[in-house]
Amino acid sequence: EAKSRGRAISVMFHPQLLTELQERRELEMSLRVALERGELVMWYQPLLDIGTRRTVGYEALIRWNHPTRGIIEPSNFIPLAEEAGLIGAIGEWALREALAEAATWHDDLSIAVNVSPAQMRGDAVLKQVVSALAATGVAPERLELEITETLLMEDCEMHLRTLHRLRALGVRIALDDFGTGYSSLNYLRRFPFDKLKVDRSFVSDIVEETDSGAIVETVLNLARKFDMKTTAEGIESEAQLAKLDAMGCSQAQGFLFDKPLPAEGIPPEHRKSLRRLQIA
Ligand code: C2E
Ligand code: MG
Ligand code: MG
Ligand code: MG
């Protein structure tokens, strides 16, 4: 009895593992061609000035419009792209696409693009940024690159050099998901970020009397001292917004305002009249 059950278990586990591996391989293979086939799409989520509640820019958030699976979110394919060595090509596309889109908006709207640590090795990203800005005619000051703390842990010297060179172009650098990694205050001293993005996990329970409120307040104070802007991610309620406003956070992003939208969802009043005339 025990023996047959043991066998039954091993028979049950192996095919499942194989299937998972196979699925990964298939997903990786289809990701390799997704770019050429135009299956990657960029969606945009507004960033608002908390004081005026006006949209000051958008964050570009990638999606994979898979032929059979439908829309796949980045957490389900960006790590795969990094492992498979595809993140360089995808990152280059993301920059081009987001900047081409931003070129159709009013010049006072910024565009934030996420850059994963794997893209920052070497100086490829620097060349990609320069050529994407030149090709689209977007002013460097409108571009904000979002990087994460993981990057700074990797090879601080090399990455700091790249960040300084990007900044010398006029591009702004934001530290994304702040507080979730092994944040070291030393980074803030060594690299002058233009902005800190307070992670959604701190915003979600900020209204209740939790430690999150104290953490966010400390982060916002710190940002003020270093002359950095702050964006709170993942705001879903008016109560959260009010609390962040009272704490002095400068920008807001979250489902309370809008979810990430396909480019078609961006309000026409944010576009240059040229584009509006073309559509009419
Ligand atoms: P992120 O840069 O921290 O982006 C914010 C994420 O929070 C987005 O998830 C957004 O849809 C979600 N979000 C915004 N407001 C709310 C809210 O009120 N409630 C909730 N529950 N969620 C909210 P998304 O689009 O799934 O992106 C996940 C992550 O994937 C991003 O996190 C970013 O790290 C990465 N990513 C997205 N696009 C790109 C890209 O083009 N390149 C790279 N390398 N990474 C990207
Ligand atoms: Mg981001
Ligand atoms: Mg973030
Ligand atoms: Mg986040």
Side-chain angles (χ1 to χ4, degrees):
E1 235 252 27
K3 202 174 172 188
S4 68
R5 205 192 299 142
R7 197 179 296 143
I9 287 169
S10 68
V11 168
M12 274 177 68
F13 272 86
H14 281 290
Q16 196 187 329
L17 240 150
L18 264 174
T19 313
E20 271 172 30
L21 270 172
Q22 222 157 11
E23 267 182 26
R24 261 185 73 92
R25 286 265 296 275
E26 274 166 27
L27 204 64
E28 184 184 317
M29 266 159 21
S30 46
L31 186 56
R32 281 187 193 280
V33 291
L35 246 185
E36 310 153 26
R37 293 187 180 160
E39 292 169 7
L40 295 183
V41 289
M42 206 49 112
W43 287 14
Y44 301 88
Q45 187 181 31
L47 273 71
L48 288 87
D49 178 271
I50 288 192
T52 63
R53 287 213 180 200
R54 289 175 67 102
T55 297
V56 292
Y58 289 89
E59 177 174 2
L61 295 158
I62 201 169
R63 299 290 184 267
W64 179 5
N65 193 0
H66 191 278
T68 56
R69 297 176 190 224
I71 295 289
I72 304 181
E73 302 214 327
S75 55
N76 292 320
F77 70 91
I78 290 290
L80 187 67
E82 287 170 344
E83 286 166 39
L86 299 170
I87 196 66
I90 291 177
E92 182 168 26
W93 174 84
L95 263 169
R96 285 269 175 150
E97 181 68 18
L99 286 172
E101 175 57 30
T104 72
W105 308 340
H106 286 298
D107 289 336
D108 56 356
L109 289 168
S110 64
I111 174 74
V113 180
N114 292 283
V115 176
S116 70
Q119 278 175 265
M120 293 285 294
R121 300 199 184 102
D123 59 2
V125 78
L126 207 65
K127 289 178 186 145
Q128 289 174 8
V129 167
V130 169
S131 83
L133 288 169
T136 56
V138 171
E141 292 73 22
R142 292 178 64 195
L143 175 62
E144 194 163 78
L145 297 178
E146 299 194 357
I147 65 152
T148 55
E149 290 162 337
T150 344
L151 179 83
L152 297 172
M153 292 164 48
E154 273 185 9
D155 176 351
C156 227
E157 291 308 323
M158 179 183 76
H159 292 315
L160 286 177
R161 261 200 312 277
T162 309
L163 290 175
H164 277 291
R165 288 170 71 186
L166 283 165
R167 212 152 176 266
L169 295 172
V171 172
R172 287 174 296 149
I173 311 290
L175 190 50
D176 206 351
D177 306 333
F178 188 69
T180 56
Y182 293 91
S183 319
S184 162
L185 298 179
N186 208 25
Y187 305 148
L188 302 184
R189 201 179 52 180
R190 299 189 57 199
F191 186 81
F193 289 94
D194 298 282
K195 179 191 277 186
L196 292 184
K197 295 193 80 174
V198 180
D199 192 65
R200 171 155 59 93
S201 56
F202 300 109
V203 173
S204 62
D205 58 357
I206 199 174
V207 177
E208 293 90 58
E209 288 300 312
T210 58
D211 295 337
S212 295
I215 292 172
V216 172
E217 203 153 28
T218 306
V219 170
L220 296 178
N221 283 333
L222 192 71
R224 252 191 305 275
K225 288 252 161 42
F226 282 87
D227 214 19
M228 297 181 284
K229 285 197 170 148
T230 43
T231 300
E233 303 183 312
I235 301 179
E236 296 184 356
S237 73
E238 287 289 346
Q240 290 168 346
L241 179 68
K243 190 124 189 195
L244 287 156
D245 189 12
M247 287 178 176
C249 185
S250 43
Q251 291 180 358
Q253 181 179 7
F255 294 173
L256 174 64
F257 311 103
D258 253 321
K259 292 194 168 174
L261 310 160
E264 299 80 53
I266 291 174
E269 64 264 28
H270 286 171
R271 297 194 185 279
K272 288 177 176 162
S273 49
L274 180 70
R275 174 67 176 262
R276 284 213 294 274
L277 286 173
Q278 280 171 351
I279 289 168

